[in-house]
């Protein structure tokens, strides 16, 4: 594993034999965006990345209000209103009236929305599994470590 890490470090600026955090951060940013873009392309959900992300959030966080969804996706309510309408038009989510407050409605994933997400995940997992199988055991160990570190980085300051 050390051999692979040294080879990877050769591509990143080093200071006194250590990887420079700013240079590594820049590489991670670019690689992360490219990886995400490739996964979206491979998943081929048939909907925009915005709708896909919002649908995933409704599935994992829902039932959820439009305001909560907008906050979770870091967009303004008018933007989320258009996204929600797109999901409703495609039958991916449904609105459920709040039994206690008639002004509030909750969004929930429909069976069709759940199928689309499952199909998308399956395609992406199959694509990645084929690629990972081509790696050596040592490279897979490095990826396992990298996955844990990326998860930790994604958590932020808690």
């Amino acid at each position: 594993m050390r051999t692979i890490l040294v080879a990877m470090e050769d591509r990143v600026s080093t200071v006194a034999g250590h990887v420079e955090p700013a240079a590594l951060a820049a590489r991670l940013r670019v690689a992360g965006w490219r990886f995400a873009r490739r996964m979206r392309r491979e998943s081929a959900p048939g909907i925009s990345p915005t709708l896909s992300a919002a649908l995933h959030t409704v599935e994992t966080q829902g039932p959820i209000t439009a305001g909560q969804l907008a906050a979770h996706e870091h967009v303004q309510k008018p933007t989320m209103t258009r996204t929600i309408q797109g999901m409703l038009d495609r039958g991916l989510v449904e609105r459920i009236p709040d039994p206690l407050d008639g002004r509030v409605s909750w969004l929930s994933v429909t069976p069709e929305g759940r199928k689309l997400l499952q199909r998308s995940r399956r395609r992406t997992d199959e694509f990645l599994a084929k690629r990972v199988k081509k790696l050596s055991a040592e490279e897979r160990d490095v990826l396992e470590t990298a996955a844990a570190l990326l998860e930790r980085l994604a958590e932020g300051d808690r």
Side-chain angles (χ1 to χ4, degrees), residues 11-83:
R11 296 184 203 157
V12 179
S13 299
T14 58
V15 176
H18 296 293
V19 177
E20 182 187 344
L24 180 57
R27 279 197 70 213
L28 282 171
R29 175 183 45 78
V30 172
W33 284 116
R34 286 180 178 159
F35 185 80
R37 187 172 49 233
R38 181 69 188 263
M39 293 304 94
R40 281 193 304 271
R41 192 170 56 242
E42 292 300 327
S43 70
I47 58 174
S48 72
T50 300
L51 285 182
S52 183
L55 182 60
H56 172 77
T57 298
V58 173
E59 181 193 43
T60 58
Q61 305 295 313
I64 189 170
T65 66
Q68 291 168 336
L69 182 57
H72 195 278
E73 294 297 310
H74 305 287
V75 298
Q76 298 298 313
K77 286 183 184 180
T79 300
M80 187 49 63
T81 299
R82 288 187 297 274
T83 301

Side-chain angles (χ1 to χ4, degrees), residues 38-39 42 122-131:
R38 181 69 188 263
M39 293 304 94
E42 292 300 327
R122 186 175 55 251
R123 286 178 54 93
T124 304
D125 289 350
E126 288 170 357
F127 167 78
L128 276 176
K130 286 178 188 174
R131 301 291 295 254

